[in-house]
Each structure stands twice: as structure tokens, then as C-alpha cells.
């Protein structure tokens, strides 16, 4: 059960691959192609951006997961590149762009051994909820048949305890009653 639950919930224990991406947007495909040629001949990505009047803040998307990049075409291009590579011109949602990947952080998955306690607790809680709900239904069915709460408990081999309390939760002596989960 533990292994199956881990596989079913694997995405919860994984940090997706992230990449530090730079992106320059161009007014048209021709300008982007010319810039790509200049970069291929040795010009730096940031130099080309500066010549277009863009600062480093304008082109730096930061270290992002693929799902965080709004433009799907740009995301696909960026996540197909190797570290340090520059893409060919990409026609995206917002125009033509060039993307460069500065750094790649691979996907991180926490191993089963590390999350086993957490999964065991979740499985135990889910099973306990099911069992409690089943007992609750059996008690309600017995009460619907006209049995008292004590009789319903006896049929289920449960201990029935009686507490004498007033509306404010105090016993006959005026002291707070020693009732489990008194706040509720």
C-alpha cells in the first residue's frame, strides 16, 4: 500500500526541472533571425539585448519550471536546449523571441524512504476515518430502530459513558466536566 500510494502521489514529492532563462522579444521574425545569426557568429545574448534597448531585467525570466513560462512555444524551446545554448527564432503568443538557457536544475524527487512516515500517517488517517464513519452509521441505524445509545454501543462492543453536565459543560458540583474533547 505504501509503495502504491507513493507512486500515485509521486508528483507531490517532486520538484520539477527548472531552468534559468533569458528571453529577447523582437518586433518581427526578420529582426530575430538577424540577431540569431549575430549570436551564432560570437555576439553575446546580452549584448544583442542591450543594442535593442533592453536591460538585463527586461530579458531575465529567472529560474523557472516549464509550467511557469506563459508562452508555451517559448517554454518548449527553452526546455529543449542544453545549458548555455540559444534557440532559433521562436514564434510565440506575444511575437518572435530568442531564448537562452543559462543554468539547468534537474528534477528532484524525494525518495520513498524520506516520505514513508508521512504517507503511513495519511493512509492510517484515511482508514480511521472510514472505520469511524462506518461505526457512526451503525450507531445511527440502531438509534433509528429505536435503541438507546447505550444499547447501540453494546451491540457494537463499544463502551458507553455517561456524563452529567449542564449547558455550559459543568458537572453537578459546578466544576468543568471531564469530558473528552470538551471544547466541541
Amino acid at each position: 500500500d505504501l509503495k502504491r500510494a507513493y507512486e500515485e502521489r509521486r508528483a507531490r514529492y517532486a520538484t520539477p526541472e527548472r531552468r534559468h532563462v533569458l528571453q529577447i522579444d523582437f518586433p518581427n521574425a526578420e529582426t530575430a533571425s538577424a540577431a540569431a545569426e549575430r549570436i551564432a557568429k560570437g555576439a553575446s545574448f546580452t549584448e544583442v539585448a542591450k543594442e535593442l534597448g533592453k536591460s538585463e531585467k527586461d530579458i531575465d525570466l529567472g529560474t523557472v519550471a516549464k509550467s511557469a513560462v506563459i508562452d508555451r512555444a517559448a517554454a518548449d524551446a527553452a526546455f529543449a536546449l542544453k545549458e548555455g545554448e540559444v534557440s532559433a527564432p521562436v514564434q510565440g503568443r506575444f511575437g518572435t523571441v530568442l531564448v537562452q538557457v543559462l543554468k539547468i536544475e534537474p528534477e528532484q524527487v524525494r525518495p520513498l524512504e524520506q516520505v514513508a512516515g508521512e504517507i503511513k500517517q495519511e493512509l492510517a488517517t484515511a482508514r480511521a476515518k472510514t472505520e469511524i464513519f462506518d461505526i457512526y452509521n451503525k450507531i445511527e441505524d440502531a438509534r433509528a430502530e429505536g435503541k438507546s445509545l447505550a444499547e447501540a454501543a453494546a451491540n457494537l462492543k463499544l463502551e458507553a459513558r455517561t456524563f452529567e453536565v449542564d449547558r455550559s459543560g459543568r458537572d453537578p458540583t459546578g466544576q468543568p466536566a471531564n469530558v473528552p474533547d470538551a471544547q466541541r
Side-chain angles (χ1 to χ4, degrees):
D1 287 348
L2 188 64
K3 285 180 182 175
R4 185 178 26 190
Y6 176 73
E7 289 304 320
E8 288 171 358
R9 302 169 186 167
R10 190 172 189 278
R12 288 173 44 186
Y13 307 115
T15 303
E17 177 183 317
R18 295 168 15 119
R19 294 176 176 222
H20 188 170
V21 179
L22 301 180
Q23 174 180 297
I24 305 173
D25 56 319
F26 295 91
N28 55 52
E30 294 79 30
T31 313
S33 294
E37 286 177 29
R38 287 193 52 228
I39 292 169
K41 290 179 182 172
S44 81
F45 197 82
T46 52
E47 282 175 22
V48 171
K50 284 180 184 172
E51 289 171 9
L52 292 168
K54 299 184 185 301
S55 70
E56 213 161 305
K57 279 173 115 177
D58 296 333
I59 65 168
D60 194 344
L61 300 182
T63 303
V64 294
K66 188 174 183 179
S67 61
V69 180
I70 296 170
D71 190 333
R72 285 293 110 220
D76 291 342
F79 279 78
L81 297 172
K82 293 179 181 157
E83 199 168 294
E85 285 186 335
V86 177
S87 72
V90 177
Q91 182 59 46
R93 276 172 61 180
F94 307 110
T96 305
V97 298
L98 289 179
V99 293
Q100 180 182 32
V101 174
L102 297 181
K103 185 177 178 192
I104 298 173
E105 294 177 5
E107 176 185 49
Q108 304 270 327
V109 180
R110 290 170 41 204
L112 174 61
E113 298 77 35
Q114 204 176 67
V115 296
E118 184 180 324
I119 295 172
K120 283 179 184 177
Q121 183 65 40
E122 288 176 15
L123 293 175
T125 300
R127 287 181 181 149
K129 283 182 181 178
T130 301
E131 289 178 26
I132 289 171
F133 192 66
D134 288 344
I135 291 170
Y136 171 81
N137 282 337
K138 288 175 183 175
I139 289 171
E140 288 302 310
D141 289 346
R143 292 187 64 211
E145 293 171 3
K147 295 181 179 173
S148 70
L149 194 54
E151 292 170 325
N155 286 345
L156 294 170
K157 297 180 175 78
L158 297 173
E159 177 189 350
R161 293 188 284 171
T162 304
F163 298 91
E164 221 178 294
V165 295
D166 62 15
R167 288 179 184 245
S168 63
R170 299 189 180 280
D171 65 18
T173 65
Q175 298 299 313
N178 188 16
V179 177
D181 201 8
Q183 289 296 88
R184 276 189 20 212

